[in-house]
Amino acid sequence: VGGRLSTLFPGASVLVTGPLAATGAAKVVIQGTLADGTTVSHAIPVDLTPTGQLAPRAWAQVAISQLLGSTDPKFEGLAMALSQHYRVANRLASFLVLEDEKTWTQYDLKDESALFKGQPLAKVIAAAAVLGEAAWSTWTRLTSALKAAPGAPSNPQQGQGSLVDAALLAQVSKAVGAAELELLPPALPWAGVTFASTPAPYLQALKSAGLDLIEPFTVEGERRRTTLNDLPAAVRALSTAVERDPGNDEVLRLVAYRLAAWGQTASAAELLLGVLLRRPHEPQSWRDLANVVADERPGLALVLFEAALQGDWPAKFKTLKVVVREEYALFATSLLASSPKHPLAATVQARMLAHGLILKPADLRVTVTWNTAATDIDLWVISPTGEKCYYQHKNLSTGGGLLSDLTDGYGPERFQVTKAMPGTWTVKVHYYGNNGNKLAAETWVDVAVTTDIGSPDAQVTHYTTMLKKKGDKQTMATVTFK
């Protein structure tokens, strides 16, 4: 079966492949359990008469995916042989254009097909699939990503090392145990939504060819959450953007930000882990997941913050380490204050000392990041007196000011006031511009508002919005101090 499907829904596609023992009529039987616990079985009649030449290659693609999904090197030889024989490109194999057969010898290319001839392929692939399920643990996937991140050590004798020291990984694993290193499963009831109750713009968006279309789903999600007070239905609407374009990491990040803002951290974490595995070279991949799992999975958060700090990131991401240090310090201080006897307490204290993490008290800190490169998003913070802090007026007469003002990259822009004057503070974002070469001008902005930093009442709230074009402005939050 192609993919790793765990849930089926009306309209879902299931790819079933396998060697054909005999032609003629047959049945594909799908068994499972409904949300209410009822066991169901569906028999689907099929005609096993060969009608095309690509079916063997489709089977090979599924088989190779399961072999490589095991992450066990012993299956790589067979995967390579199948890739070569069936002409399938993947992380082991790529296409090479040769002028003639002599080039095989010139480049010492070998015909690997003998590796699978005569082998019980079904049993080998089934064994790989079992290992693949184990390899899908959060900890296994995370430690694999740590080896792919920029800055991970490597030497010819020991092979690829880990971005986070192996001794620290072992220390964290021993302290919290295997169960605490797995993401929590989402826990929302099934949402039943009818066509009659769904607005026309949302239904039209479902038919649209634009896979990266996301605004109709966020709008409908907010409507269901706020107007209908139906969170499961809201999540269903928002997740549609992911189902339409599951390989688009920008979409996944944006949906995850909104889910986290709704308190659905388990669902957000699953999406952000997928982004991290595909984009370990970006520090925000590590930072995003760390912040989402910090409360429920502190062991994972510690490792993720460590990776974000220690990575050898491209220059456009360097400033993000400043933000990571602040967030890591807030996480560590909060953990020690709320759970001084936590199994990770000693490790957290040692890491704070090693990195020199100090949580400087402040009433308000605002951090803005966005998801498109070569884009300039301005942060505006307006004090209770109406004075505006922005790039042309970086410090307020009542206290507080911009900590950074980036005009390129993904942010961050930051504001902080140590002692906020009483009254209402307003946080806005302004789309100042981009490099003009972007095919689409839209950018999604994430605003983290942190209050009462350094106190037991410290709180971080995230807000997201889409700015469509240069000149767009959006009020993101208001914060009142007494």
Side-chain angles (χ1 to χ4, degrees):
V1 178
R4 296 183 180 276
L5 295 175
S6 59
T7 303
L8 293 179
F9 52 89
S13 297
V14 181
L15 175 62
V16 181
T17 67
L20 184 60
T23 61
K27 294 180 180 178
V28 173
V29 179
I30 299 178
Q31 296 178 325
T33 305
L34 299 178
D36 61 4
T38 305
T39 300
V40 295
S41 177
H42 292 288
I44 304 167
V46 295
D47 180 10
L48 296 182
T49 302
T51 57
Q53 298 180 345
L54 295 179
R57 189 170 184 272
W59 167 82
Q61 286 180 300
V62 174
I64 293 165
S65 176
Q66 299 207 358
L67 289 168
L68 297 181
S70 70
T71 70
D72 191 329
K74 74 180 181 183
F75 293 112
E76 290 186 354
L78 178 56
M80 183 63 201
L82 291 171
S83 301
Q84 189 183 68
H85 183 78
Y86 288 101
R87 308 296 191 264
V88 177
N90 48 65
R91 67 176 176 85
L92 290 183
S94 59
F95 290 106
L96 179 65
V97 179
L98 303 179
E99 295 182 1
D100 52 46
E101 293 297 324
K102 295 180 180 179
T103 318
W104 280 78
T105 304
Q106 180 182 346
Y107 290 104
D108 194 27
L109 300 175
K110 297 180 176 62
D111 183 357
E112 308 283 356
S113 59
L115 287 175
F116 70 83
K117 289 181 179 178
Q119 281 210 50
L121 292 180
K123 292 183 179 179
V124 175
I125 294 167
V130 171
L131 287 177
E133 291 300 323
W136 259 52
S137 71
T138 303
W139 188 243
T140 300
R141 288 183 285 175
L142 181 58
T143 52
S144 175
L146 286 168
K147 297 180 180 181
S154 177
N155 64 67
Q157 287 74 36
Q158 298 179 359
Q160 188 65 42
S162 172
L163 183 58
V164 176
D165 184 69
L168 178 57
L169 295 177
Q171 191 176 357
V172 171
S173 179
K174 182 179 179 181
V176 299
E180 289 293 312
L181 296 174
E182 296 303 313
L183 296 182
L184 287 172
L188 271 178
W190 175 256
V193 182
T194 64
F195 279 99
S197 65
T198 305
Y202 176 78
L203 295 176
Q204 185 60 38
L206 291 175
K207 302 175 184 178
S208 170
L211 290 179
D212 60 351
L213 192 66
I214 185 172
E215 187 177 15
F217 308 112
T218 60
V219 171
E220 175 62 9
E222 286 293 351
R223 184 189 77 86
R224 294 179 184 182
R225 186 180 72 92
T226 57
T227 304
L228 304 181
N229 195 29
D230 190 345
L231 183 58
V235 172
R236 180 173 178 179
L238 187 61
S239 65
T240 303
V242 174
E243 293 164 2
R244 285 162 54 88
D245 197 6
N248 189 327
D249 291 326
E250 287 189 2
V251 170
L252 266 64
R253 275 182 172 141
L254 301 174
V255 171
Y257 295 159
R258 187 61 61 92
L259 287 172
W262 291 354
Q264 299 304 302
T265 54
S267 297
E270 282 288 352
L271 294 180
L272 292 174
L273 177 60
V275 174
L276 168 60
L277 296 177
R278 288 187 293 272
R279 306 181 78 87
H281 55 281
E282 295 178 348
Q284 59 263 48
S285 299
W286 303 89
R287 173 210 176 208
D288 287 345
L289 186 55
N291 283 315
V292 166
V293 303
D295 290 338
E296 295 161 333
R297 290 293 184 259
L300 288 176
L302 186 149
V303 171
L304 291 160
F305 278 128
E306 286 285 333
L309 273 187
Q310 297 184 37
D312 183 17
W313 312 118
K316 63 183 177 182
F317 298 133
K318 294 294 185 182
T319 311
L320 198 61
K321 282 193 176 184
V322 177
V323 178
V324 172
R325 289 181 63 85
E326 295 172 348
E327 293 171 340
Y328 195 177
L330 180 61
F331 156 76
T333 304
S334 300
L335 178 69
L336 295 174
S338 61
S339 306
K341 296 185 179 180
H342 193 281
L344 282 172
T347 302
V348 168
Q349 290 174 329
R351 300 317 297 166
M352 290 186 71
L353 182 62
H355 292 299
L357 299 178
I358 300 175
L359 186 63
K360 298 179 179 179
D363 283 350
L364 174 65
R365 181 187 296 150
V366 181
T367 302
V368 178
T369 54
W370 50 93
N371 75 321
T372 51
T375 302
D376 183 8
I377 303 298
D378 282 336
L379 167 62
W380 296 355
V381 178
I382 303 171
S383 75
T385 65
E387 186 180 7
K388 183 171 75 172
C389 179
Y390 69 121
Y391 74 97
Q392 287 186 329
H393 183 60
K394 296 185 178 181
N395 295 292
L396 297 175
S397 60
T398 55
L402 288 182
L403 300 178
S404 59
D405 174 36
L406 295 187
T407 60
D408 193 8
Y410 301 83
E413 292 216 353
R414 301 154 60 237
F415 169 90
Q416 180 170 295
V417 56
T418 302
K419 184 63 179 177
M421 72 176 298
T424 299
W425 294 70
T426 303
V427 178
K428 295 185 176 183
V429 290
H430 170 228
Y431 195 154
Y432 185 83
N434 60 49
N435 67 0
N437 295 322
K438 291 160 53 67
L439 294 176
E442 299 91 355
T443 189
W444 280 82
V445 181
D446 177 70
V447 178
V449 177
T450 309
T451 55
D452 301 316
I453 302 164
S455 80
D457 298 323
Q459 184 175 1
V460 182
T461 307
H462 285 264
Y463 304 90
T464 61
T465 191
M466 183 175 73
L467 300 179
K468 295 184 178 181
K469 62 184 183 301
K470 290 186 286 185
D472 278 358
K473 306 176 186 68
Q474 181 69 44
T475 297
M476 300 301 298
T478 58
V479 183
T480 301
F481 293 95
K482 297 181 179 179

